[in-house]
Amino acid sequence: MKIIKDKKIIEDNWSHITDDDAISLGNITISLSRWNDEKSSLSSHTGKIGIRLAPSDIIEDISDDLNKISLIGLEFPAFTDGRSFSHARLLRSRYDFKDEIRAMGNFMPDQVFYLSRVGVNAFQLNNSDQLEAALSTMNDFTVQYQASTS
Amino acid sequence: MYQYTETDQTLIDERVNQYKRQTKRYLQGEIGEDEFRALRLMNGLYIQTHAPMLRVAGPYGLISSKQLRMLAHISRKYDKCYAHITTRQNIQFNWPELENVPDILADLASVQMHAIQTSGNCLRNTTTDPLAGVCIDEIEDPRPYCEIIRQWTILHPEFAYLPRKFKIAVSGSEQDRAATQFHDIGLYLVKNETGKTGFKVLVGGGLGRTPIIGKIIRPFLEKQHLLSYLEAILRVYNLKGRRDNKYKSRIKILVRESGIEQMSKWVETEWLQIKDGMEVSEDRISSIQAEFKPPLYETLAKQDAGFESSKTESSAFNTWINLNTVTHKISAYRAVYVSLKASNSPPGDITDKQLDAVAELADQYSFGEIRTTHRQNLVLADVKQADLFALWQKLDRLSLATPNIGTATDMICCPGLDFCALANAGSIGIAKEINEALDDIDYLHDIGELKINMSGCMNGCAHQSVGHIGILGVDKKGVEWYQVTLGGSSENDAALGKRLGPAIAKNKITQTIETILGVYIKQRQDNEIFLDTVNRIGVSPFKEAVY
Ligand code: SF4
């Protein structure tokens, strides 16, 4: 599967494990609740670990674990749910999270520009045919009124 | 008035191009219906009963004559030769074609205008006092702060997908003419004990289905913290506002459900963490203030002899002066309301010819500036006493001098069943009927100050819940009925109207209003206005007379 990362279209090298799947080798993302349940056993995992956050998850709850995490996936159940925009901004500016923040799921290519301005640097669209369109929207504006987070 | 910098212009030009591409992709089937809906709404485009409706931002109600001419041009080229002024000081076109909207936006951008965020669940146009900068009771001109807020809201990347729409109003005077207490955030410019000017911040006010008066979240906020404080409120709302039910998703519900103390705790905690990085510098404030410096007023006698004698000679002129003009901070000038409430046209509507003519009059008599008002009229804010008679004659010829500002026929009225897909009942037709019933100018003036607000459904776009008389269209088994409330106010003494009784049938509504006014005339004491009489005697005497 292809994604956008740092303004390039690349192959996704992460496995996204649902709560029912067994943990696989390599780089994995899991839900926050699974992370909370299996944190200690996952400390011996060989690949990198990413956590997927639902809009209703509270960022503060993972702030102490961020140093063990290499990717935060912000899940969009619906593109109209804007909570993840604030989550991204908080992760970057308040918790100083430097690794990948990835928007996942049901968001629009036309939201990629705003998402990148609040600190999201990777985009996994449900429909990967739209990646080119998404990439091009990142150049929609050359000016802005508010400070961006990156 | 504020002039765009190169950055401002680039931004709106780029926005036009972005929307052009989005429209094209939509028409080619590359953007889905729901997705495009969100995108077009944030460019001001609704789809309603008959056709799309485009809402153009009138930033805090300030428009130049050049911009007004462009609006006239747009109404001719893309619409049916008229425009509509909304209660949020915006301008609406009711008949544009979806395909043409990118071109309309490009025309608007050519005169420093846009339709960005005039609808959708985002930060909307900031509104203020139509008499800002010229009224006699001003603590400080609110417009520079409105412009600072405008820039902060436009394309704010974090707050474009809020639980619901979000409206901010700023008032800078003693008398609140901006319905500030009924906004998601209301800002009052106030002085603290040491004489420093800052903001009293209210949160969680709103009209619509659940009208609520805003609560004070901070009695005094220093100016430099304006944006960080707004950002803190918005972040709390974006994260905690309800998204499960669109009728419960405004910030007023969050404030009501959590309580103002809890809300304040959340906001203050957030604010403390961001305030130092987001200060609005004094330089920034003064450079924006410089854009709103007063025009070059002439040094004139306090009273113009010709003006005084015209008032004595023409009682019609005198009446117009008393009702449609107000005192100006410079005594030789007055601010003039251009009434868009003539009996033969829908409240708030203005034709292309009138738009062009008002632009001309603004150039000739009022430094080329026009303001839109929350009660759907226009204002020429800086007219010399000596010019008033000539201006009045010209406005009169244009049917723009109906002497009814602040009276019963200066109704706020939403588009209702005629244009709005959500409407339960007609409003424009009723407004016309009431207008005709109160046609006797002496009777109208005898009734005096009265605010009638009428909405075609619960959404309350015309703020019926804060009308001295509120009229709300309801649907009873497919028939239009009207719920009447008395005693609402959106000013300093903010209050929600109380229900008169059961809903009234369509053919009885005008008669009901007349009965209500009859009770007022009988019961009023001295110079008491309608609202004060209702507050003194309560709703019962009115109810007894009507039912
Ligand atoms: S109040 Fe109702 S009918 Fe009137 S414009 Fe608003 S949504 Fe439409």
Side-chain angles (χ1 to χ4, degrees):
Chain A
M1 190 196 204
K2 295 225 183 296
I3 60 157
I4 294 172
K5 188 179 171 189
D6 297 329
K7 301 196 173 172
K8 286 189 197 69
I9 296 176
I10 59 161
E11 198 62 43
D12 184 15
N13 58 1
W14 289 74
S15 309
H16 308 288
I17 314 285
T18 68
D19 284 355
D20 302 327
D21 290 343
I23 300 286
S24 59
L25 297 175
N27 300 340
I28 55 163
T29 71
I30 54 174
S31 69
L32 177 62
S33 61
R34 187 147 187 191
W35 167 255
N36 285 332
D37 292 346
E38 298 176 26
K39 223 185 269 191
S40 47
S41 65
L42 282 165
S43 61
S44 56
H45 182 76
T46 45
K48 293 182 193 168
I49 295 176
I51 295 180
R52 297 190 306 271
L53 296 178
S56 55
D57 288 333
I58 311 280
I59 291 291
E60 285 85 340
D61 294 352
I62 50 152
S63 56
D64 291 340
D65 292 342
L66 286 172
N67 54 356
K68 304 185 190 89
I69 295 165
S70 310
L71 182 152
I72 299 281
L74 300 175
E75 290 184 323
F76 281 81
F79 73 86
T80 48
D81 193 327
R83 285 176 284 187
S84 294
F85 289 79
S86 287
H87 288 162
R89 170 142 282 172
L90 288 172
L91 281 166
R92 292 294 190 213
S93 60
R94 186 149 314 155
Y95 301 106
D96 214 18
F97 184 72
K98 296 268 193 289
D99 284 325
E100 179 171 338
I101 299 181
R102 184 185 297 191
M104 311 171 89
N106 189 10
F107 62 99
M108 296 187 266
D110 298 275
Q111 287 174 306
V112 163
F113 173 70
Y114 281 172
L115 283 166
S116 65
R117 285 195 52 202
V118 293
V120 177
N121 69 323
F123 304 90
Q124 179 178 329
L125 282 160
N126 277 350
N127 175 1
S128 56
D129 291 350
Q130 296 190 309
L131 285 177
E132 288 290 349
L135 202 54
S136 73
T137 64
M138 290 171 99
N139 303 318
D140 280 353
F141 294 92
T142 58
V143 291
Q144 62 205 27
Y145 288 126
Q146 311 80 3
S148 295
T149 318
S150 56
Chain B
M1 112 183 223
Y2 183 76
Q3 294 301 315
Y4 274 13
T5 62
E6 223 177 289
T7 307
D8 299 318
Q9 189 64 47
T10 307
L11 187 134
I12 61 162
D13 289 343
E14 290 178 345
R15 176 65 160 197
V16 171
N17 291 330
Q18 179 195 44
Y19 187 65
K20 210 175 267 176
R21 290 191 291 271
Q22 288 169 341
T23 305
K24 193 166 150 210
R25 281 167 50 222
Y26 166 71
L27 293 171
Q28 290 170 348
E30 291 164 27
I31 302 184
E33 225 29 87
D34 286 348
E35 286 79 4
F36 186 65
R37 182 173 176 276
L39 298 173
R40 66 171 159 75
L41 284 175
M42 276 187 259
N43 285 286
L45 185 63
Y46 278 81
I47 308 286
Q48 35 171 38
T49 314
H50 303 292
M53 178 272 279
L54 182 69
R55 184 181 294 149
V56 177
Y60 35 91
L62 207 54
I63 298 177
S64 71
S65 55
K66 187 173 171 193
Q67 291 173 331
L68 208 63
R69 288 191 181 94
M70 179 54 82
L71 295 172
H73 164 79
I74 288 170
S75 81
R76 271 189 298 272
K77 182 157 177 201
Y78 302 101
D79 207 287
K80 297 190 175 178
C81 296
Y82 75 97
H84 176 78
I85 309 297
T86 78
T87 55
R88 292 202 50 76
Q89 301 182 294
N90 291 323
I91 303 97
Q92 267 169 216
F93 294 105
N94 279 319
W95 306 93
E97 300 286 341
L98 187 138
E99 293 77 1
N100 289 334
V101 170
D103 295 333
I104 301 177
L105 296 180
D107 282 352
L108 289 170
S110 74
V111 293
Q112 309 193 345
M113 289 189 100
H114 61 74
I116 299 171
Q117 292 164 218
T118 53
S119 45
N121 295 332
C122 53
L123 291 159
R124 301 288 191 85
N125 184 35
T126 298
T127 51
T128 191
D129 184 352
L131 301 179
V134 303
C135 57
I136 45 174
D137 61 344
E138 194 153 84
I139 296 148
E140 198 180 312
D141 190 343
R143 293 171 303 170
Y145 303 101
C146 292
E147 174 57 26
I148 289 171
I149 297 171
R150 183 192 75 84
Q151 296 187 13
W152 171 76
T153 57
I154 293 292
L155 309 193
H156 196 299
E158 187 179 340
F159 306 130
Y161 296 89
L162 295 170
R164 205 69 176 88
K165 58 189 165 184
F166 203 94
K167 301 171 177 180
I168 303 174
V170 191
S171 167
S173 51
E174 302 284 341
Q175 202 198 331
D176 182 0
R177 284 172 290 260
T180 309
Q181 300 181 71
F182 292 99
H183 282 75
D184 296 287
I185 293 179
L187 297 166
Y188 283 107
L189 277 154
V190 290
K191 279 199 185 352
N192 69 1
E193 320 80 60
T194 65
K196 228 166 130 190
T197 315
F199 297 98
K200 175 159 92 180
V201 186
L202 276 71
V203 70
L207 294 165
R209 279 172 189 256
T210 320
I212 298 182
I213 298 171
K215 302 221 164 35
I216 298 173
I217 188 165
R218 193 162 237 279
F220 190 83
L221 177 74
E222 282 153 346
K223 289 173 180 174
Q224 71 265 31
H225 298 310
L226 174 61
L227 295 184
S228 57
Y229 206 80
L230 296 182
E231 184 128 331
I233 294 176
L234 261 300
R235 187 164 296 138
V236 168
Y237 171 57
N238 191 35
L239 288 170
K240 298 190 194 289
R242 284 180 63 171
R243 291 172 186 267
D244 58 328
N245 176 342
K246 88 173 207 182
Y247 300 119
K248 300 211 152 92
S249 50
R250 295 286 292 266
I251 196 172
K252 60 191 173 190
I253 305 296
L254 177 64
V255 174
R256 193 175 71 181
E257 288 181 354
S258 62
I260 186 70
E261 292 77 25
Q262 178 62 65
M263 183 72 192
S264 156
K265 230 181 261 166
W266 284 330
V267 169
E268 296 277 325
T269 310
E270 180 61 35
W271 178 59
L272 287 175
Q273 303 188 67
I274 57 176
K275 70 193 243 293
D276 293 335
M278 285 192 70
E279 289 182 334
V280 187
S281 71
E282 274 183 35
D283 282 355
R284 170 103 195 279
I285 295 176
S286 38
S287 76
I288 301 234
Q289 277 170 337
E291 302 268 347
F292 294 92
K293 58 178 185 296
L296 296 170
Y297 295 119
E298 289 172 42
T299 321
L300 299 160
K302 278 197 173 149
Q303 299 223 308
D304 181 80
F307 169 61
E308 294 302 326
S309 63
S310 302
K311 280 198 291 183
T312 346
E313 280 154 29
S314 162
S315 70
F317 175 60
N318 191 42
T319 304
W320 178 78
I321 289 289
N322 287 337
L323 282 160
N324 288 23
T325 73
V326 292
T327 315
H328 193 287
K329 66 178 183 190
I330 310 287
S331 333
Y333 286 76
R334 288 186 80 78
V336 172
Y337 281 88
V338 176
S339 171
L340 302 185
K341 310 292 175 65
S343 61
N344 56 0
S345 85
D349 278 9
I350 181 164
T351 67
D352 62 324
K353 288 194 185 71
Q354 289 173 322
L355 285 164
D356 275 333
V358 172
E360 196 60 43
L361 295 175
D363 281 339
Q364 205 175 345
Y365 299 118
S366 196
F367 301 96
E369 280 180 25
I370 301 96
R371 291 128 185 257
T372 52
T373 82
H374 144 70
R375 290 197 70 83
Q376 304 178 291
N377 294 300
L378 301 178
V379 165
L380 297 172
D382 302 287
V383 184
K384 269 187 285 188
Q385 285 180 3
D387 289 337
L388 285 165
F389 190 76
L391 175 60
W392 170 65
Q393 288 182 312
K394 290 176 187 173
L395 286 173
D396 193 39
R397 258 174 257 141
L398 294 160
S399 303
L400 294 172
T402 314
N404 63 351
I405 297 298
T407 72
T409 56
D410 183 12
M411 271 174 271
I412 302 187
C413 178
C414 81
L417 216 46
D418 293 287
F419 294 104
C420 178
L422 304 171
N424 288 326
S427 47
I428 296 174
I430 301 290
K432 189 161 194 281
E433 218 182 274
I434 294 175
N435 215 314
E436 280 161 4
L438 303 179
D439 195 33
D440 181 344
I441 213 90
D442 294 329
Y443 178 59
L444 187 70
H445 294 162
D446 181 39
I447 297 164
E449 186 179 335
L450 176 59
K451 297 193 164 109
I452 303 182
N453 297 357
M454 178 163 42
S455 298
C457 81
M458 287 276 281
N459 288 325
C461 298
H463 308 170
Q464 80 290 345
S465 50
V466 291
H468 298 175
I469 299 178
I471 306 173
L472 166 65
V474 289
D475 173 276
K476 279 201 197 174
K477 304 200 180 87
V479 180
E480 298 164 62
W481 286 72
Y482 296 86
Q483 188 65 254
V484 175
T485 50
L486 300 181
S489 167
S490 64
E491 292 172 24
N492 301 56
D493 53 352
L496 302 171
K498 288 173 210 62
R499 195 180 274 203
L500 181 69
I504 313 259
K506 189 173 185 177
N507 61 355
K508 291 273 159 53
I509 187 73
T510 302
Q511 191 188 319
T512 300
I513 301 301
E514 290 180 296
T515 309
I516 290 170
L517 295 179
V519 174
Y520 159 63
I521 287 175
K522 228 198 259 146
Q523 298 264 7
R524 71 179 160 192
Q525 293 176 350
D526 309 323
N527 291 325
E528 199 173 54
I529 66 162
F530 178 83
L531 180 62
D532 294 338
T533 305
V534 174
N535 286 336
R536 182 170 54 78
I537 67 176
V539 170
S540 313
F542 297 93
K543 189 171 179 171
E544 280 156 30
V546 169
Y547 295 98

